[in-house]
Structures are given as C-alpha cells and as structure tokens.
Amino acid sequence: MSNPIRVLLVDDHSIVRFGYQQLLTRSDDIEVIAEAENCADALRAYRNLSPDVVILDLSMPMDSNSEEIQSTAGGLEAIRRIRSYDNNARILVVSGLDSNPYPQRAAQAGVQGYVTKRNASAELRQAVFSIAQGDKFYSKSISHLVDCKEEAYEDNQLSQLTARELEIFSMIAEGHTVNSIAEVMHLSPKTVHAHRANLMRKLNISSSAEIIHIAMRAGILQT
C-alpha cells in the first residue's frame, strides 16, 4: 500500500476545516496532517511538515497576532509566502470567489488547482489526487476563466489590477487602514499609499466608498 497523501488544511473557519477533513479522510489514501487558520500559521506548518498538498481559502487573516485583519488578500499572500519558501509547493484553492480576477490571479501566483466551494463535495478528493500526482485541477465552472486572456474579461474592472493591487484593494474594501495593511503585509505605509493611488487611477475612482461599491458588485463583500 502506498503512503497516503499528506494534506495541510488552511481556513479560518473550524467548521469548514472539519467538513473538508470528513470528505478527505473517508478512506486511508489521504491524511490531514495539520490545520491552520491564518497566513502566518500556514507558512509555519508548511515549513515544519512539508505536506504533499496545501488546501487553502482565499479569505483568511494574514497573521496570528492580527486576527482582525481578515481579507480575501490573506490567501493570495499565503500562496506567495509558501511558494517563496518552496517553489514546488502544490497548492489547491477552495473558494467561494468563482469569477475573475480571482481564479486567474491564483493561477498566476502558482497554484495547481482551484475548486469552487459549491463544487467542493464532488471535486475535492479528485483535485487532491490530481495535484499530488503533479497535474492541475480546476472546477469545470471556472476552468475557462483560468485559461482566458486578460482581454477576454475586460468588463471586469478588477482585471486591470496586479496581484498586489488586488490584495490591497480587498483589504481597503474590508475597512483596513493603510497602516494596518502595511504592518501585516510587511510593506511601508508609503508603498501601500502608492499601490492605493495606482489602483484608484486604474479603476477611475477617487474614494474608499467607490472601492467598497466595486467590491460588493464583485462579490468580495456581502451586501
């Protein structure tokens, strides 16, 4: 019998992690070796345990000492940090964000798969097996978004933003200050201000209220 696939689960909701664990471990071919609920703990667990596959959400706190700093940017930052540590890391995103730019930005950041939460019960195990074998796996409902050219969804305003600008856009939309963003992202406030100015210029907006409005339309914030 071959060794089970060793999985690190990263989601800030314990009930979600429990549900995934029940799906994954219904037979002996997958083992959940650790769980994490924020970006910093995910990287720490990855360094200590070297899992075969990381499953993570895009919405999570950045750091264990800043639980109030929760953002859709947390997952993108976790991907960046893990892949900076190990460029061969195998990462599967499971997210409720099922429209671009998020699937494409995650793919550009180096993940091997993206499963929508609505399809997780049917696709999660298959995705883990595919990624563990070195293949890629994307939910059928979003696979065309990952492969599409940028110009194919120009009507989506957020497609104009870089990955870093998208992270900062999300955190501003969720009410975080420039100083708190700078602290958890290990950037200077000046750099965050520069990214904020760039993204507002690209989106042709002039206020945080307009950022919130766009984020609500994109499904990043719930109405």
Side-chain angles (χ1 to χ4, degrees), residues 29-220:
D29 41 21
I30 298 175
E31 177 187 6
V32 175
I33 60 170
E35 299 181 15
E37 58 184 20
N38 58 67
C39 176
D41 286 350
L43 178 59
R44 188 176 300 110
Y46 189 91
R47 285 175 168 171
N48 291 338
L49 300 170
S50 298
D52 299 315
V53 176
V54 180
I55 297 174
L56 60 78
D57 192 6
L58 290 181
S59 180
M60 72 177 78
M62 287 282 191
D63 293 292
S64 56
N65 293 326
S66 303
E67 295 298 328
E68 74 280 5
I69 308 298
Q70 180 175 346
S71 171
T72 49
L76 291 174
E77 183 66 14
I79 294 166
R80 177 180 292 110
R81 293 184 190 182
I82 290 171
R83 285 187 51 80
S84 293
Y85 174 76
D86 178 7
N87 192 51
N88 295 315
R90 296 172 180 175
I91 301 174
L92 168 65
V93 169
V94 182
S95 175
L97 294 166
D98 56 5
S99 62
N100 267 335
Y102 284 97
Q104 190 168 72
R105 289 293 180 262
Q108 290 169 345
V111 306
Q112 286 73 39
Y114 197 113
V115 171
T116 63
K117 286 192 172 179
R118 72 181 68 181
N119 294 327
S121 60
E123 297 179 340
L124 188 59
R125 282 176 56 83
Q126 182 184 353
V128 169
F129 285 123
S130 296
I131 291 172
Q133 293 168 1
D135 297 324
K136 295 187 177 183
F137 188 97
Y138 297 97
S139 289
K140 292 180 180 178
S141 59
I142 58 99
S143 58
H144 66 289
L145 300 177
V146 175
D147 295 330
C148 78
K149 305 256 186 219
E150 296 283 344
E151 57 267 23
Y153 60 102
E154 286 180 346
D155 57 326
N156 186 325
Q157 290 175 286
L158 299 183
S159 67
Q160 306 171 67
L161 306 184
T162 66
R164 180 63 91 187
E165 289 168 352
L166 185 60
E167 290 179 85
I168 291 173
F169 169 91
S170 299
M171 296 190 76
I172 293 172
E174 290 156 351
H176 307 307
T177 67
V178 166
N179 286 339
S180 66
I181 294 170
E183 180 180 357
V184 298
M185 298 187 77
H186 307 298
L187 300 172
S188 70
K190 182 178 179 180
T191 298
V192 175
H193 275 297
H195 283 304
R196 182 179 185 275
N198 286 337
L199 70 87
M200 293 182 78
R201 174 181 53 78
K202 289 180 179 180
L203 298 175
N204 193 29
I205 59 178
S206 58
S207 70
S208 295
E210 291 173 286
I211 289 178
I212 293 170
H213 179 67
I214 293 172
M216 290 174 65
R217 281 194 334 208
I220 297 169

Side-chain angles (χ1 to χ4, degrees), residues 23-31 125 129:
L23 280 172
L24 293 169
T25 60
R26 61 191 184 200
S27 59
D28 296 333
D29 41 21
I30 298 175
E31 177 187 6
R125 282 176 56 83
F129 285 123

